[in-house]
Amino acid sequence: MSRIRTFMAVSLLGPLLLPGAAAAQEMIADTSARKQALTSWGVQFEELEYRYSDDDEELGVWNADFFYGTDDLKVRWLTKGEYAIEEQAYEGLENQLVGQIPISEFFDAKAGVRFDTPEGPDRTYAVLGVAGLAPQWFEIDANLYVSDEGDTSAELDAEYELLLTNYWILSATLDATVAFSEDREIGVGKGLVSTETGLRLSYDLIDRAFSPYVGVVHERKYGDTADFAKAEGGGTEDWFAVVGARISF
């Protein structure tokens, strides 16, 4: 009698259980678009600012990131430059096109090309670098460059944000460049080339999408690079008052 009851129970419950099992199997084997990595795109201006120096120099400065892709692979166009307003000329213009992939929980690796229009002949570089979040919440971007002339250099960008309130943010930045070989044509000497340090106080006006700020920036050249600048009649150190905004969308 127990076998008959078991058989009847299976017969009655089978039609109810099979669709659920089939659905579970379908979910496991689902390879449709909804299961693929999410593609995203965006634009971020970390710096979009006006600078006024202690020598009455006026500059328009930007540092922007255009990106498209997934968490597994992003394509990024990184552009930054300085435009001398009175002379109506670029003091520096740099563009990078890189691919970026994750290599750990907090860091990505990137590789690509960089195109420069410095004071002097244009330069093209191969780029290899890492970017991510270091301990103590420091944002790090470190890159190695090899130019079409065979010259090598490295650059380190670091930023730390101190949340004063939910809206007021104090940001400290450091940008340091080191050259492992001399490129006299563009005024770069071997060794520590330059540093740029900044302190900016921003107000989060629209949910981190628009944050106007004020601050101060210090630029300095070192060693042979400073000597090259002096020989051309240029300066080796500047202080700037800055006003600008961080924008993302």
Side-chain angles (χ1 to χ4, degrees), residues 6-75:
T6 302
F7 176 77
M8 292 178 65
V10 170
S11 300
L12 292 172
L13 295 175
L16 299 175
L17 295 174
L18 286 175
Q25 184 64 30
E26 182 182 354
M27 290 178 64
I28 293 173
D30 189 357
T31 57
S32 62
R34 63 182 178 177
K35 293 297 181 181
Q36 304 302 313
L38 180 64
T39 300
S40 62
W41 67 274
V43 179
Q44 295 179 337
F45 281 86
E46 289 294 324
E47 298 172 10
L48 185 60
E49 62 191 30
Y50 165 82
R51 295 183 181 181
Y52 185 81
S53 80
D54 51 354
D55 291 329
D56 298 327
E57 182 182 15
E58 296 179 274
L59 297 175
V61 177
W62 70 91
N63 184 352
D65 178 7
F66 299 76
F67 62 89
Y68 177 86
T70 67
D71 289 338
D72 296 325
L73 174 62
K74 279 190 175 70
V75 177

Side-chain angles (χ1 to χ4, degrees), residues 12 21 28 36 44 46 48 55 78 80 94 113 120-122 127 135 168 182 190 196 200 202 205 215 219:
L12 292 172
I28 293 173
Q36 304 302 313
Q44 295 179 337
E46 289 294 324
L48 185 60
D55 291 329
L78 308 170
K80 63 181 180 180
E94 175 186 315
V113 292
D122 293 350
V127 180
W168 289 100
E182 181 182 288
K190 187 176 180 180
E196 178 182 300
R200 296 171 176 84
S202 64
L205 193 62
E219 293 182 352

Side-chain angles (χ1 to χ4, degrees), residues 17 21-22 41 50 98 104 108 128 143 153 158 169 179 216 224:
L17 295 174
W41 67 274
Y50 165 82
V98 299
S104 72
D108 291 349
L128 184 64
N143 298 283
S153 59
I169 301 169
V216 60
D224 291 340

Side-chain angles (χ1 to χ4, degrees), residues 158-174:
E159 180 177 6
Y160 183 79
E161 291 186 349
L162 178 63
L163 192 64
L164 301 177
T165 71
N166 287 335
Y167 298 96
W168 289 100
I169 301 169
L170 184 64
S171 301
T173 59
L174 167 66

